[in-house]
Amino acid sequence: MESRAPRVTWAAAPPRPSPSPAAAAAAAASARSRARSVARSAVEAAQTARGRRMALRGLAGSGPGSRGLLDEAGAADEEREVPAVVAAGDAPEDVEEDEGRNRGLLRWDGFSAWLHCVCVVGFDLELGQAVEVIYPQHSKLTDKEKTNICYLSFPDSNSGCLGDTQFCFRFRQSSGRRVSLHCLLDQFEKDLPVYLKKDPAYFYGYVYFRQVRDKTLKRGYFQKSLVLISKLPYIHFFHTVLKQIAPEYFEKNEPYLEAACNDVDRWPAPMPGKTLHLPIMGVVMKGDTHISVILPTVHEVDLFRCFCPVFLHSQMLWELVLLGEPLVVMAPSPSESSETVLALVNCISPLKYFSDFRPYFTIHDSEFKEYTTRTQAPPSVILGVTNPFFAKTLQHWPHIIRIGDLKPAGEIPKQVKVKKLKNLKTLDSKPGVYTSYKPYLNRDEEIMKQLQKGVQQKRPSEAQSVILRRYFLELTQSFIIPLERYVASLMPLQKSISPWKSPPQLRQFLPEEFMKTLEKTGPQLTSRIKGDWIGLYRHFLKSPNFDGWFKTRRKEMTQKLEALHLEALCEEDLLHWTQKHTEVETVDLVLKLKNKLLQADREHLPVKPDTMEKLRTHIDAIILALPEDLQGILLKTGMT
C-alpha cells in the first residue's frame, strides 16, 4: 500500500453569458427536434431488425435443418441491435458523466466489476440484527440473502469480540436470481486460475465489525458491521480495503461511504497479470492480480499462522481437503474460523476446491438443517463455527479441528494431537484434530523439521508461510501431473480432425487404465514422499474435487477441438467446394460457418484472430458468388 493521495487540480470555469429568451426558446426547439430525430432513427432500426428476423424465419421454414441456425443468427442480430436503441435514449447527464471516464461503461459498471454492494448491519433492540444501509441503493438482495448477511455479519455472542474484528463469510446465492448484466468484463476471467474466478452460485461477505462500550445506548454497546458483498475471492485485498475505509466510516457515516463507493466505481477492472493502482479516499492501493506462489497476493491468507497449531498434521489435512471430506473447524471467534477454513481451501492450490465451504457458519444459516441433519451422511463441505452448540450438533461428523486463539506473529502455540472423536464433548475441549482417519501417505519429516527449525529460530511468519505454501504446491502438483498426463492422452490426434465432419469426441476416462500408468509415470517421479499413492488416487476419483477438475479439463479440451476444427475449415478451398454443390448446400454451409463464428465468440474459444478473419473472408467470398437475392439475405444474417 502506498500512502500517496492522487493530486487533483481545480480550475474555475469562465462565466457563461445568459441567453436571451428568444435564443433560449430557439435552442430548446432545436434540442427537441434533434431528440425526435434520434428517436425516429432508433424506432426505424428496431423495425428493420424485426423485419430482418421475420425474413430469416421465413427462409428457415423453406428447408429442413436450417431453422435452428437461422433463428440463432436472428437472435444474435437482435442482441446487437438492442444497445443502439438503449443508447439513443440515454439521459444527457449519464452521457456527460461517462464522458470523463472514457471506458465505455455505464454508471456503477466499474463498481460491479469488484463488488455487488456494500451493507451496513446494526443491532436493533426490537428487530435484532438488521441491514441499515445497502449501497448503491439499486443493488438487489433477496430477503433470504439479507437474512443471511444479518446473522453472518455479527460474531456469536459467546465470542466476546470487543473492539474491531475482521472476518469473512460465504453464502449461497438465492435461486431464481437474474444474472448480472455486467458481463463485459467476464471475458478476462478465462485468463485467471480457476481458484480466482467468480463463483456464480455464491457471494463472499467481507466484514469489519466494531463493538465498543457506549453508555448513551440502551444496550450499553455500539455494535455495527461494514460488509463488502462480492463474488470475487480476493480475501487479503478486501480486508485491506476495509481496514482503510471502515474506521473512517464509523466516524463520518453515509457521506463517507458514498464517496468510497464512487472511488471504487472509477477503478479499472481486475485484469489478470497487471498491477492495478486503485485510489480510495486519498490512499492508492496497489493490487497485483498476477498470481505468484511466493509473493503475497490478492487472495491468500497467512498460511503458517493458520496452520501453526496443527502444522505437524498439515499433510493429513491436505489429504482430507483433497478428498473433499466433511470437515469442521471449531474456533473461539469468526476471525480464527474464517482464516483457518480459507487456509485449508487454499492448501490444495492450484487445484480448485470444488465442494462448498463456509468460513463462518451459524445456526441461523439458511443451510443449517441441510448440513447438520443426521438422516444422511455429512456432506462434502468445510464449516467454520464458533457456537458451542455445534460441538453437540456435529458430533457425528468424521473430522473436527478444534483450535484455540491464533497467536500473533512470533508466538507459537503448543502443537495439538490427533484424538478420537469420542473425546470431543464441548467447544471447550482441548485443541486438537479429532478424527479416526489414517493418512494414505507417510509424513514428510523433512518439511516438519524445516518448519520446527524456523519456529526455534523465530523465523517470520511470512517466511514460514512461503515454505509451507511451496510444500503444498509441490505436493499437489506431484499428485495432479499424472492425471494431467493421462487426460491429455484422451485427446484425439490432430490428423483425425476433418473439416467436413463434426469434431471428434474425447476418449473416455478409464480409472483402471489410468492406474496402470502410475507404475512408470506416477508421483514418485517428482515427490520424495512414500505411501499408498494408488489408494489416494482411487479415493480421489470418487470425490467432488475430481469431478469438478475433470469437467473443467474436458470443457477446455472440447473447446480446443472446436478451435482446431475451425482452423481445418480455414485451410480448405471452400469457394471451390461450393462450385461442386447446389445452392441449398452452399447456403447451409454459410449458415453453419456463421454459427461457428458465433460459437467461437460466445464461448471464447482459443482461436487465433487471423483464423477468425480468414473464415470471415471465406464466408464473404462464398456469398458474393451466389445470386443477388440470396446475397442480400445472407449478408443480413448475423455479422461477418
Side-chain angles (χ1 to χ4, degrees):
M1 182 178 291
E2 178 178 299
S3 300
R4 178 171 55 81
R7 293 180 179 272
V8 180
T9 305
W10 296 94
R16 295 183 180 179
S18 300
S20 66
S30 175
R32 282 194 296 273
S33 176
R34 284 197 302 272
R36 289 194 192 101
S37 176
V38 170
R40 277 198 299 271
S41 299
V43 171
E44 286 168 7
Q47 289 173 341
T48 302
R50 281 196 295 274
R52 186 180 302 165
R53 291 190 293 277
M54 289 173 68
L56 292 175
R57 292 189 183 103
L59 179 60
S62 64
S66 298
R67 178 177 177 81
L69 292 174
L70 286 168
D71 281 350
E72 186 173 348
D77 191 59
E78 179 179 5
E79 288 172 6
R80 281 189 295 272
E81 295 290 348
V82 169
V85 178
V86 174
D90 276 349
E93 55 267 29
D94 290 338
V95 175
E96 185 176 333
E97 184 178 78
D98 288 344
E99 217 169 40
R101 304 170 79 181
N102 290 323
R103 291 191 289 151
L105 298 178
L106 298 174
R107 171 83 162 134
W108 297 118
D109 274 359
F111 180 92
S112 297
W114 292 89
L115 295 168
H116 177 72
C117 65
V118 179
C119 296
V120 178
V121 181
F123 191 90
D124 186 282
L125 282 173
E126 296 180 2
L127 302 175
Q129 285 143 238
V131 176
E132 296 177 351
V133 177
I134 299 178
Y135 202 86
Q137 295 174 354
H138 65 267
S139 302
K140 303 293 183 186
L141 288 172
T142 66
D143 290 341
K144 185 178 180 181
E145 288 166 347
K146 287 179 184 176
T147 300
N148 274 329
I149 291 170
C150 280
Y151 285 113
L152 290 167
S153 297
F154 272 42
D156 281 315
S157 56
N158 66 288
S159 298
C161 298
L162 274 175
D164 292 352
T165 305
Q166 284 191 258
F167 58 94
C168 167
F169 61 82
R170 183 173 180 263
F171 64 99
R172 194 179 293 170
Q173 184 177 293
S174 295
S175 58
R177 169 186 281 279
R178 292 182 62 188
V179 178
S180 171
L181 296 177
H182 303 290
C183 300
L184 297 171
L185 307 168
D186 288 352
Q187 58 184 314
F188 302 125
E189 285 248 314
K190 62 185 174 68
D191 298 320
L192 287 171
V194 288
Y195 50 86
L196 273 186
K197 293 183 178 181
K198 293 179 185 176
D199 192 331
Y202 290 87
F203 281 123
Y204 284 85
Y206 301 97
V207 183
Y208 195 105
F209 170 73
R210 173 168 288 185
Q211 179 172 256
V212 292
R213 294 183 183 278
D214 189 337
K215 294 179 180 179
T216 64
L217 300 174
K218 287 184 179 180
R219 190 175 171 83
Y221 286 92
F222 171 89
Q223 293 174 309
K224 194 164 286 192
S225 286
L226 182 62
V227 189
L228 306 181
I229 304 296
S230 176
K231 291 196 173 186
L232 297 173
Y234 296 174
I235 295 98
H236 179 65
F237 172 75
F238 284 120
H239 279 331
T240 305
V241 171
L242 279 169
K243 279 181 184 175
Q244 175 61 32
I245 66 172
E248 289 285 326
Y249 164 72
F250 289 130
E251 300 296 328
K252 300 174 182 176
N253 296 323
E254 289 183 40
Y256 184 88
L257 182 61
E258 184 176 351
C261 289
N262 280 313
D263 279 350
V264 174
D265 191 39
R266 296 185 184 94
W267 285 358
M271 297 273 287
K274 290 190 177 180
T275 299
L276 305 177
H277 295 256
L278 309 171
I280 186 164
M281 305 312 291
V283 172
V284 178
M285 289 186 298
K286 292 182 179 180
D288 191 348
T289 58
H290 181 74
I291 304 312
S292 164
V293 175
I294 297 176
L295 298 177
T297 58
V298 294
H299 72 291
E300 289 170 349
V301 295
D302 188 339
L303 203 61
F304 183 73
R305 180 170 175 266
C306 299
F307 271 95
C308 194
V310 293
F311 78 78
L312 290 177
H313 316 296
S314 54
Q315 190 171 301
M316 179 183 72
L317 295 176
W318 174 85
E319 284 189 25
L320 292 175
V321 176
L322 179 76
L323 300 174
E325 286 288 307
L327 194 58
V328 183
V329 175
M330 294 183 173
S333 78
S335 296
E336 277 86 359
S337 76
S338 61
E339 285 186 35
T340 306
V341 169
L342 293 167
L344 287 167
V345 170
N346 195 251
C347 78
I348 62 169
S349 176
L351 185 67
K352 180 180 178 180
Y353 182 77
F354 281 93
S355 294
D356 191 8
F357 60 94
R358 304 300 177 90
Y360 176 49
F361 190 75
T362 76
I363 59 174
H364 303 287
D365 197 286
S366 53
E367 279 77 55
F368 173 75
K369 288 183 179 179
E370 176 187 340
Y371 285 164
T372 58
T373 179
R374 290 174 178 262
T375 58
Q376 58 189 32
S380 175
V381 63
I382 302 178
L383 299 181
V385 303
T386 62
N387 194 321
F389 178 74
F390 282 106
K392 184 177 181 181
T393 309
L394 300 178
Q395 267 186 333
H396 62 295
W397 277 48
H399 319 291
I400 297 171
I401 303 172
R402 168 70 178 98
I403 59 173
D405 294 320
L406 293 182
K407 302 293 183 181
E411 293 184 36
I412 305 301
K414 184 180 179 182
Q415 286 297 293
V416 301
K417 297 180 179 180
V418 174
K419 304 178 183 181
K420 294 180 179 179
L421 280 167
K422 64 180 183 181
N423 294 333
L424 182 68
K425 300 297 181 184
T426 68
L427 198 63
D428 295 326
S429 297
K430 291 182 180 179
V433 180
Y434 295 82
T435 181
S436 55
Y437 176 81
K438 292 183 178 179
Y440 287 97
L441 305 181
N442 302 332
R443 189 162 72 179
D444 188 339
E445 296 296 343
E446 190 173 320
I447 190 68
M448 295 303 128
K449 288 177 182 177
Q450 192 176 355
L451 290 172
Q452 283 179 315
K453 186 177 180 181
V455 170
Q456 292 165 1
Q457 295 177 345
K458 296 186 177 180
R459 186 186 293 147
S461 180
E462 294 81 2
Q464 292 280 78
S465 288
V466 169
I467 295 169
L468 190 58
R469 186 170 285 112
R470 186 188 296 125
Y471 161 68
F472 281 139
L473 174 67
E474 291 173 355
L475 188 57
T476 304
Q477 286 180 331
S478 294
F479 181 82
I480 213 73
I481 284 171
L483 278 163
E484 290 279 8
R485 187 182 292 116
Y486 174 72
V487 168
S489 73
L490 305 180
M491 188 85 163
L493 296 175
Q494 189 163 350
K495 65 182 181 180
S496 67
I497 299 172
S498 167
W500 307 112
K501 296 179 182 178
S502 296
Q505 299 292 309
L506 296 174
R507 287 199 305 114
Q508 187 179 357
F509 187 104
L510 300 174
E512 291 308 316
E513 185 180 61
F514 164 68
M515 293 298 174
K516 289 178 183 177
T517 68
L518 296 175
E519 185 177 346
K520 293 183 178 179
T521 57
Q524 70 274 9
L525 296 179
T526 52
S527 177
R528 61 177 177 264
I529 299 174
K530 307 295 182 182
D532 184 11
W533 285 97
I534 299 290
L536 185 62
Y537 278 113
R538 288 191 187 280
H539 196 154
F540 177 72
L541 295 183
K542 300 173 185 176
S543 74
N545 284 332
F546 169 74
D547 187 54
W549 172 82
F550 183 61
K551 283 179 179 175
T552 302
R553 293 293 289 117
R554 184 170 56 193
K555 181 181 177 182
E556 290 170 354
M557 293 166 72
T558 302
Q559 289 182 335
K560 180 63 177 175
L561 283 171
E562 291 285 353
L564 291 172
H565 187 245
L566 264 180
E567 289 176 13
L569 276 168
C570 287
E571 296 305 316
E572 289 293 310
D573 188 347
L574 300 179
L575 188 59
H576 178 70
W577 180 91
T578 61
Q579 293 169 1
K580 299 179 180 180
H581 292 78
T582 64
E583 284 184 2
V584 172
E585 290 173 315
T586 302
V587 169
D588 188 54
L589 174 65
V590 170
L591 294 174
K592 286 180 178 177
L593 292 176
K594 288 196 171 192
N595 193 46
K596 283 278 186 185
L597 284 175
L598 289 171
Q599 180 192 10
D601 186 56
R602 183 175 61 247
E603 298 179 9
H604 306 301
L605 296 183
V607 183
K608 299 173 185 175
D610 58 333
T611 300
M612 299 284 281
E613 195 55 44
K614 202 171 181 179
L615 193 57
R616 288 189 183 96
T617 304
H618 277 310
I619 293 171
D620 290 341
I622 295 170
I623 291 175
L624 291 174
L626 289 169
E628 286 188 10
D629 58 335
L630 282 176
Q631 285 184 34
I633 294 170
L634 290 173
L635 286 171
K636 293 176 183 177
T637 308
M639 289 181 68
T640 60

